[in-house]
Amino acid sequence: SPPAAELDAEIVALLTDPVPMRHLNFMTKAAAGGWTSEDAADRRAWQTTQQLHNKSGWFCKVHDSVTNEFQGIGGLREINWTHRAAEMGLILRPRFWGKGV
């Protein structure tokens, strides 16, 4: 399911970090000064609607299976069940890049 509310601060930090968001300008909210915890809550609500009600998305947190440390977020959106197609995305914290995640 979408990352839990207790991860909102981590998600705000990830989505506001200019390094992983370098090529995702449409998601940065730079004009508004970056992401807020309210933005993260709204995103979680949208993801829940897409995943549970519309079945047009699947979202998750990415974490270390041993330590449970938050590494990033991932998911599918725009799922088209008829054509078996979707858009996939993964945003990792930079310190996990190149680590085989």
Side-chain angles (χ1 to χ4, degrees):
S1 62
E6 62 261 14
L7 288 176
D8 282 356
E10 299 248 26
I11 290 171
V12 166
L14 176 66
L15 297 178
T16 303
D17 185 333
V19 175
M21 301 307 290
R22 174 176 45 226
H23 301 292
L24 299 171
N25 289 332
F26 66 95
M27 290 183 65
T28 64
K29 294 188 178 256
W35 284 73
T36 65
S37 56
E38 292 82 15
D39 293 328
D42 289 345
R43 180 179 170 83
R44 190 172 3 88
W46 175 83
Q47 289 174 329
T48 299
T49 298
Q50 298 300 298
Q51 184 162 317
L52 299 177
H53 304 299
N54 299 346
K55 303 215 182 321
S56 62
W58 174 84
F59 306 94
C60 64
K61 75 172 183 169
V62 179
H63 65 278
D64 183 281
S65 62
V66 175
T67 66
N68 202 36
E69 181 179 9
F70 176 78
Q71 297 175 328
I73 53 178
L76 301 172
R77 66 181 207 152
E78 306 295 330
I79 296 174
N80 182 314
W81 294 97
T82 302
H83 298 290
R84 298 185 180 267
E87 180 179 313
M88 185 259 188
L90 178 66
I91 304 172
L92 294 176
R93 294 167 70 189
R95 66 191 195 103
F96 295 104
W97 293 1
K99 305 286 193 237
V101 175

